[in-house]
Amino acid sequence: MFTANPRPLGIAALLLATSGWGAMFLVGKDVLPHVEPVWLTLIRYSMSALLFAALLLPRGAAPWRKLRLHALPLALRGAAGFGVFSVMLFVGLAHSVPSHGAVIVATTPMTTQLVRWAFDGVRPARLALLATALALAGVAMVSGLLFGTASSSAGSTLFGDAVAFAGTLGWIWYTRGAARFPTLDVVEYSALTVLASWPLLLAGALIVTAFGASHAPTAEGLRLSWHALLFVGLVPSAISVLAFNYGVRTLGAVTGTAFLNFVPVSALLMGVALGKLPSANELAGMAMVVGGLLLHTAASRRAAAAPAARSAGGNSTAGYRACGASAR
């Protein structure tokens, strides 16, 4: 009986996910003059919430029971991952350029290692630390902190890039929270955190608008940007998330992390296609970030392979199975 090879589908899913995230920075930059970050985040996740709710419907009542059981912690995790991260990312993007945001998001796996070291006492391997240092130096170069300001923007993008980088801590806290809900699979954790946090996102948008810190979008602003809002709400906020989760489940977390290299690369290529040429500093910094992520992936592969190698050393049958798994 013919069985389709899932590997090409996994690769296609990861490319779809990372391309969608890369495009988000270019599209989102054009939306910001019409819709401010807080409201862009609310609109973005209102649309993705509808899609995730539709995915849960065939599962019956079970996911909704889990939502009621864990409503508050799921809401807080979602508010950090979808609210804090998204708002700070778009605030940063308003003071920077799309390619910088994509570069900063690509550093998230390395920053996660530092967070684990600080809070869990899990010290990264030397290679992982080297990768993190290289990537952070690349971000500093892209932002203009090293060797002058980024020439592609009207001035230094350091403030915007720093805000976006701080926002990635919200996403890290969100992803770390998945381990606290072992009864939820990938789709349930993604969907239920979006649904649980949506009232908080709405309340946050209304509060900051009431205090004058933000402005609700006008009908004209929505008319001018509805197509971009639709793209941001459906592709990077829902379809890319599901595609990435499928790719990780098919090919493994280490391979999925490696594909994050394509986020800044895709944003750069799309920008070049639109006539936005990067500066030499930006190209060098992006190469450093991509190189850091490749080193980090190599360190992760080495760490993942070590337990298997020790187990294989004591059992010839286990060694045979390990060889077979690696061949696949």
Side-chain angles (χ1 to χ4, degrees):
M1 179 179 178
F2 175 75
T3 302
N5 182 3
R7 186 173 180 82
L9 289 177
I11 293 173
L14 290 172
L15 288 174
L16 172 64
T18 51
S19 297
W21 288 330
M24 179 187 70
F25 297 97
L26 295 167
V27 176
K29 179 73 172 179
D30 293 334
V31 174
L32 289 173
H34 309 292
V35 183
E36 295 186 9
V38 171
W39 286 94
L40 175 53
T41 295
L42 176 64
I43 294 170
R44 171 187 181 186
Y45 286 108
S46 295
M47 286 187 278
S48 66
L50 293 175
L51 181 57
F52 280 126
L55 289 175
L56 291 180
L57 286 178
R59 300 187 176 209
W64 309 106
R65 287 196 296 267
K66 296 175 184 178
L67 176 59
R68 290 192 296 270
L69 181 63
H70 304 293
L72 181 58
L74 286 173
L76 294 177
R77 295 283 173 173
F82 305 123
V84 174
F85 171 60
S86 180
V87 169
M88 295 184 73
L89 185 67
F90 285 123
V91 169
L93 184 59
H95 296 86
S96 185
V97 293
S99 59
H100 291 198
V103 166
I104 289 167
V105 167
T107 66
T108 302
M110 283 80 79
T111 310
T112 302
Q113 290 283 334
L114 298 180
V115 170
R116 290 187 66 203
W117 189 8
F119 290 94
D120 301 335
V122 181
R123 187 182 187 279
R126 289 184 180 180
L127 186 58
L129 287 175
L130 176 62
T132 301
L134 180 63
L136 294 180
V139 170
M141 179 173 286
V142 163
S143 303
L145 183 61
L146 298 178
F147 308 111
T149 59
S151 61
S152 63
S153 59
S156 174
T157 62
L158 180 59
F159 171 76
D161 295 340
V163 171
F165 182 78
T168 63
L169 297 177
W171 182 256
I172 291 170
W173 193 67
Y174 167 75
T175 56
R176 281 167 55 86
R180 297 181 178 271
F181 304 95
T183 61
L184 304 181
D185 62 24
V186 170
V187 173
E188 287 176 335
Y189 184 68
S190 301
L192 296 182
T193 47
V194 170
L195 294 171
S197 64
W198 186 86
L200 297 181
L201 300 182
L202 174 62
L206 294 175
I207 290 171
V208 297
T209 302
F211 281 94
S214 182
H215 298 89
T218 63
E220 179 65 9
L222 293 175
R223 185 188 70 81
L224 292 172
S225 58
W226 70 267
H227 51 292
L229 289 171
L230 186 64
F231 174 85
V232 172
L234 295 181
V235 178
S237 306
I239 295 175
S240 287
V241 172
L242 293 172
F244 186 78
N245 289 336
Y246 173 81
V248 168
R249 178 165 293 185
T250 304
L251 303 177
V254 174
T255 301
T257 299
F259 269 83
L260 290 177
N261 284 300
F262 197 68
V263 176
V265 172
S266 64
L268 174 66
L269 294 176
M270 293 175 196
V272 170
L274 294 173
K276 300 174 182 177
L277 298 179
S279 67
N281 277 4
E282 289 171 329
L283 286 174
M286 186 174 297
M288 292 167 67
V289 171
V290 171
L293 190 50
L294 288 173
L295 284 176
H296 181 270
T297 302
S300 298
R301 286 187 183 277
R302 182 181 298 178
R310 287 194 297 267
S311 175
N315 189 316
S316 60
T317 303
Y320 173 78
R321 291 174 179 168
C323 290
S326 63
R328 290 194 295 272

